[in-house]
């Protein structure tokens, strides 16, 4: 999991219609996209069932890895807001069975707040 840390760099909000078409083959019948964020080719997608991290690999981006993180596997999370010199906000997710967190950077603090709302809604039941 450590290799995925920071994989997305600074993410910004993605078009949900395009995301739904892109992941149509890996979502289940009653699963829907709630939020999605993209950096160049990589993406993080929050559905009502899980988080999907999409990693486009290689020069052409034809090889793609899909990492599925069910909300029930999130043990804890932390957020770090942007500062004067560091303009990115950070989100860290600790998953059961892993020592190191997954780390994602976002350009806007609002994006992290939106993601935390989704994660909290699905993990604090």
């Amino acid at each position: 999991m450590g290799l995925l840390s920071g994989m997305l760099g600074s993410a910004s909000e993605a078009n949900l219609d395009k995301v739904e078409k892109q992941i149509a083959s890996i979502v289940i019948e009653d699963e829907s996209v709630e939020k999605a964020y993209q950096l160049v080719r990589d993406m993080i997608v929050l559905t009502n069932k899980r988080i999907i991290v999409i990693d486009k690999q290689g020069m052409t981006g034809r090889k793609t890895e899909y990492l599925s993180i069910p909300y029930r596997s999130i043990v804890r999370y932390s957020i770090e807001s942007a500062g004067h010199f560091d303009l990115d906000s950070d989100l860290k997710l600790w998953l059961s069975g892993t020592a190191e967190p997954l780390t994602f950077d976002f350009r806007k603090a609002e994006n992290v707040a939106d993601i935390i709302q989704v994660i909290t809604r699905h993990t604090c039941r």
Side-chain angles (χ1 to χ4, degrees):
M1 292 295 172
L3 294 175
L4 292 173
S5 297
M7 174 185 70
L8 292 178
S10 294
S12 57
E13 216 161 344
N15 180 305
L16 294 183
D17 292 332
K18 289 181 182 178
V19 172
E20 287 175 349
K21 289 176 185 172
Q22 182 177 349
I23 65 169
S25 64
I26 63 167
V27 295
I28 58 176
E29 187 174 305
D30 61 342
E31 187 172 19
S32 61
V33 175
E34 295 184 7
K35 294 279 182 184
Y37 298 88
Q38 183 166 9
L39 171 73
V40 187
R41 300 184 306 179
D42 300 331
M43 188 177 302
I44 180 171
V45 180
L46 293 96
T47 75
N48 60 325
K49 304 282 184 189
R50 60 189 163 155
I51 298 171
I52 302 169
V53 179
I54 302 170
D55 180 14
K56 298 276 186 169
Q57 302 172 356
M59 294 293 288
T60 63
R62 292 180 69 181
K63 183 176 179 182
T64 305
E65 177 183 6
Y66 295 91
L67 173 65
S68 177
I69 305 167
Y71 289 112
R72 69 180 177 276
S73 70
I74 298 173
V75 177
R76 68 180 191 257
Y77 61 81
S78 72
I79 55 173
E80 182 179 307
S81 60
H84 290 289
F85 298 108
D86 181 10
L87 302 177
D88 296 333
S89 297
D90 298 329
L91 168 66
K92 293 181 181 179
L93 300 176
W94 282 267
L95 307 177
S96 60
T98 62
E100 295 296 317
L102 290 176
T103 303
F104 304 98
D105 298 323
F106 294 86
R107 289 189 189 118
K108 297 180 182 176
E110 306 90 57
N111 292 346
V112 174
D114 291 344
I115 289 174
I116 289 302
Q117 288 291 319
V118 174
I119 292 172
T120 302
R121 187 171 53 247
H122 293 291
T123 58
C124 294
R125 292 183 176 188

